[in-house]
Amino acid sequence: YSPDFIQYGKKKVILANGTYWHIKHVNRENMARKEIEDIERKPYEEVGYKVLHIWEDENEVEMKNKIESFYHD
């Protein structure tokens, strides 16, 4: 996997997922978002990174708050 945003000093990554590619097109096993996030998160956590998932259909204000909270944590 390749993160969409990375902060090396704090070892944090953000994975921005679109519903078309992650839910409709690629997800042939009908996995829930949580399952997809768990699979994508694992390689980063194994090397000590914290991971934030955001989805294109999330509320913009809530998404902004999640990102700010994640980076200021």
Side-chain angles (χ1 to χ4, degrees):
Y1 301 102
S2 178
D4 297 286
F5 303 95
I6 188 163
Q7 189 176 21
Y8 292 101
K10 291 187 175 185
K11 294 190 92 171
K12 295 182 178 186
V13 297
I14 295 178
L15 302 176
N17 292 339
T19 55
Y20 176 77
W21 289 107
H22 287 87
I23 300 296
K24 296 177 185 171
H25 182 69
V26 176
N27 186 8
R28 299 178 201 283
E29 298 168 16
N30 293 320
M31 293 185 292
R33 286 183 186 204
K34 174 81 170 98
E35 293 174 285
I36 294 169
E37 290 176 359
D38 290 346
I39 291 167
E40 292 179 344
R41 178 185 300 111
K42 187 177 179 179
Y44 298 107
E45 288 181 340
E46 287 177 346
V47 293
Y49 277 79
K50 292 182 181 179
V51 179
L52 173 67
H53 285 270
I54 57 174
W55 291 84
E56 73 173 318
D57 60 353
E58 285 185 59
N59 174 283
E60 289 182 33
V61 173
E62 291 176 11
M63 185 186 312
K64 180 180 179 265
N65 291 338
K66 280 174 56 174
I67 293 167
E68 286 177 355
S69 175
F70 180 72
Y71 271 116
H72 296 300
D73 168 16

